[in-house]
Amino acid sequence: MLRYGFRTVFFLLLALTSGRAGRAQTSKPPHAIVLHAARLLDVENGRILNPGEVLVEGERIVEAGASVKHSAGEEIIDLGDRTLLPGLIDAHIHLFLHPGAEGLQTVQESVPQRTIMATLAARDDLMAGFTAERDMGTEGAGPADTAVRDAIDRGQIPGPRLRISGNAINLLGGHEDAIGYNPEQHVLPNATYANNADQLVEAMREQFKQGADFIKIYETGPDTVRDGRLSTPYQYTETELSAAVREAARVGKRVAVHATGEPGALYAAQAGVASVDHAFQLSEATMRLMREKHIFAVPTFTISEYFAAHAATPDAAKREQELLDLHAQEFRKQLAAGVSIALGSDVGPFPHGTQAREFVLMVKYGMSPLATLQADLINGAKLLEWEGQIGALNPGYLADIIAVPGNPLEDISALQHVDFVMKGGAVYKRQGP
């Protein structure tokens, strides 16, 4: 059955790449390109240059500043009254999910169907200006994200640079198991089972074999809020998570965890994970460890806002809003404690290509526009292990460049209106001046 599924994927992807989606990418021109705009964001120094120019040769930036060296035969792209800035980074996405009943779509939709939808999601994210992303689990589609990442890297389909985790890991009866279904139906979980340290290591080795760049582990859930306090059971002990972190380090890779509260988040910080994703409520001890070990918190506000607005019942909407309100309150404590923040939206259950809303919410809940952009671009590049390659308009960096109308340091919502996208020196999206 899998053989026919993958043949189906191959032929449908071939049709996509020869049609509209494939034409979104242009080949990198043999000549130099100069991008010119009214403004350029120097994200590392926190300033706007007027005007702004970037010289691109091949897939990399040669020079960037208020003006650059010009030469005969170059192509000049004048973007008018816009701001040039590095391509955006989303450190928490799900290419294999779309709006709708998350539990049902993973049961009703085949892996080939979901893989095709993932290629469309990747295109939508790229066109929205996200040139690098971290896919946090295929939710039951196994290593299908390996095929999507590799097709993007080969230039066969348009999409962001990807760090992928394959199927996430979860324990029996845990947060991503098929709870609520008739057990006699043996509905598969949305993650790979591992019930102890040995099984964690075994599952990780299989995922690395299948192409995973890092490992995603579910550490807490389900979540409830009572009297302003979050309750969420942990799934793995600190000893078990430490075994996972050691195994990842053995092959030069890292572990990220879904952890919304205590004591699971503390166990993850003690183990030395790369990021604590969602991080609704963290203890002082956890925040101190995260600061000392440079562990990133990835807030994912947008998904909570979406769930609150699209809940099935008024009671469910109230619960989601309670969780969002608590998260916003706790986020301010994390900022005050000096926890490093990276931007991730959890896009998938809400429409791909709309996740720049996360910038707006991070500003709404306590960060300045500049700090939010630095969390996304500088911290995001570190978390995805592309530091020195993406996240700034520096000589030698990959030419992942976008343009937005207005000044995002004055109005962060400008990032929701990306109208120019270049990735690796190739122009994927360009609107008129």
Side-chain angles (χ1 to χ4, degrees):
M1 183 171 68
L2 283 176
R3 179 181 61 189
Y4 293 109
F6 286 121
R7 287 178 61 191
T8 302
V9 170
F10 173 78
F11 286 116
L12 286 169
L13 285 179
L14 185 64
L16 277 174
T17 55
S18 62
R20 178 181 173 188
R23 289 199 301 270
Q25 179 181 8
T26 61
S27 60
K28 291 181 281 291
H31 54 266
I33 296 176
V34 173
L35 304 178
H36 177 89
R39 294 166 298 277
L40 180 147
L41 173 65
D42 175 357
V43 67
E44 293 170 313
N45 294 304
R47 58 180 182 154
I48 292 285
L49 304 181
N50 305 91
E53 290 188 337
V54 183
L55 172 61
V56 175
E57 291 183 2
E59 66 175 4
R60 295 193 178 267
I61 295 170
V62 175
E63 188 180 357
S67 63
V68 299
K69 181 177 67 176
H70 289 249
S71 59
E74 68 187 16
E75 177 185 0
I76 298 177
I77 299 178
D78 190 344
L79 296 167
D81 187 23
R82 293 182 174 88
T83 300
L84 291 165
L85 66 155
L88 305 176
I89 300 170
D90 193 332
H92 192 123
I93 69 160
H94 291 282
L95 287 178
F96 287 77
L97 293 177
H98 59 81
E102 183 178 334
L104 286 176
Q105 66 190 248
T106 61
V107 173
Q108 294 173 342
E109 298 169 5
S110 68
V111 171
Q113 179 184 353
R114 295 181 67 205
T115 305
I116 292 166
M117 295 183 72
T119 67
L120 301 177
R123 180 198 62 189
D124 290 346
D125 287 357
L126 178 63
M127 297 308 166
F130 289 86
T131 56
E133 296 184 320
R134 190 176 62 150
D135 193 274
M136 296 290 287
T138 61
E139 303 280 329
D145 52 357
T146 298
V148 176
R149 178 200 61 195
D150 293 351
I152 291 171
D153 288 349
R154 289 192 294 263
Q156 295 170 321
I157 59 174
R161 305 179 191 281
L162 291 177
R163 296 297 194 195
I164 62 165
S165 63
N167 233 20
I169 299 178
N170 187 54
L171 51 74
L172 181 67
H175 181 62
E176 279 298 308
D177 206 345
I179 305 300
Y181 293 99
N182 176 3
E184 297 302 314
Q185 295 299 321
H186 302 290
V187 176
L188 295 174
N190 289 344
T192 299
Y193 285 134
N195 290 314
N196 53 49
D198 289 343
Q199 290 178 7
L200 272 169
V201 170
E202 183 178 3
M204 291 171 64
R205 288 176 179 173
E206 181 66 24
Q207 290 177 347
F208 289 144
K209 174 185 175 181
Q210 293 169 344
D213 296 310
F214 70 99
I215 296 297
K216 191 261 186 85
I217 295 175
Y218 284 97
E219 169 58 2
T220 67
D223 308 316
T224 58
V225 178
R226 292 196 183 109
D227 300 323
R229 294 295 301 175
L230 178 72
S231 175
T232 183
Y234 74 90
Q235 300 198 163
Y236 296 101
T237 65
E238 183 274 332
T239 300
E240 290 168 331
L241 288 179
S242 292
V245 169
R246 285 194 303 272
E247 175 60 21
R250 183 182 66 83
V251 291
K253 299 185 180 184
R254 300 194 291 178
V255 172
V257 295
H258 166 120
T260 54
E262 303 296 344
L266 177 60
Y267 296 160
Q270 289 171 332
V273 300
S275 67
V276 174
D277 288 63
H278 309 302
F280 292 163
Q281 191 170 63
L282 305 176
S283 69
E284 290 185 6
T286 300
M287 290 189 287
R288 182 177 65 254
L289 276 174
M290 290 176 67
R291 184 181 66 247
E292 292 171 355
K293 295 185 177 184
H294 306 290
I295 297 170
F296 291 101
V298 184
T300 67
F301 288 118
T302 310
I303 191 67
S304 296
E305 181 187 66
Y306 183 86
F307 282 159
H310 295 81
T313 67
D315 283 346
K318 181 181 178 182
R319 287 194 298 271
E320 293 292 344
Q321 189 61 52
E322 269 188 329
L323 194 58
L324 178 56
D325 292 343
L326 173 69
H327 192 186
Q329 174 185 319
E330 293 294 315
F331 180 62
R332 294 183 178 95
K333 294 180 183 177
Q334 293 166 26
L335 294 177
V339 175
S340 295
I341 306 295
L343 183 143
S345 68
D346 211 357
V347 68
F350 68 92
H352 280 275
T354 68
Q355 65 261 49
R357 175 68 178 166
E358 189 72 20
F359 290 93
V360 176
L361 293 177
M362 287 173 70
V363 170
K364 177 181 179 180
Y365 296 135
M367 295 186 83
S368 70
L370 175 60
T372 302
L373 280 159
Q374 290 173 332
D376 180 58
L377 299 170
I378 297 174
N379 290 351
K382 291 177 182 177
L383 181 53
L384 272 63
E385 297 189 281
W386 276 315
E387 186 178 9
Q389 296 292 313
I390 63 172
L393 301 180
N394 289 339
Y397 278 47
L398 290 161
D400 294 358
I401 306 165
I402 65 170
V404 299
N407 181 347
L409 295 188
E410 296 175 352
D411 180 6
I412 197 69
S413 69
L415 298 175
Q416 295 178 286
H417 307 287
V418 172
D419 52 20
F420 175 85
V421 177
M422 171 183 278
K423 183 189 129 193
V427 176
Y428 287 79
K429 182 178 183 180
R430 179 181 176 184
Q431 296 182 3

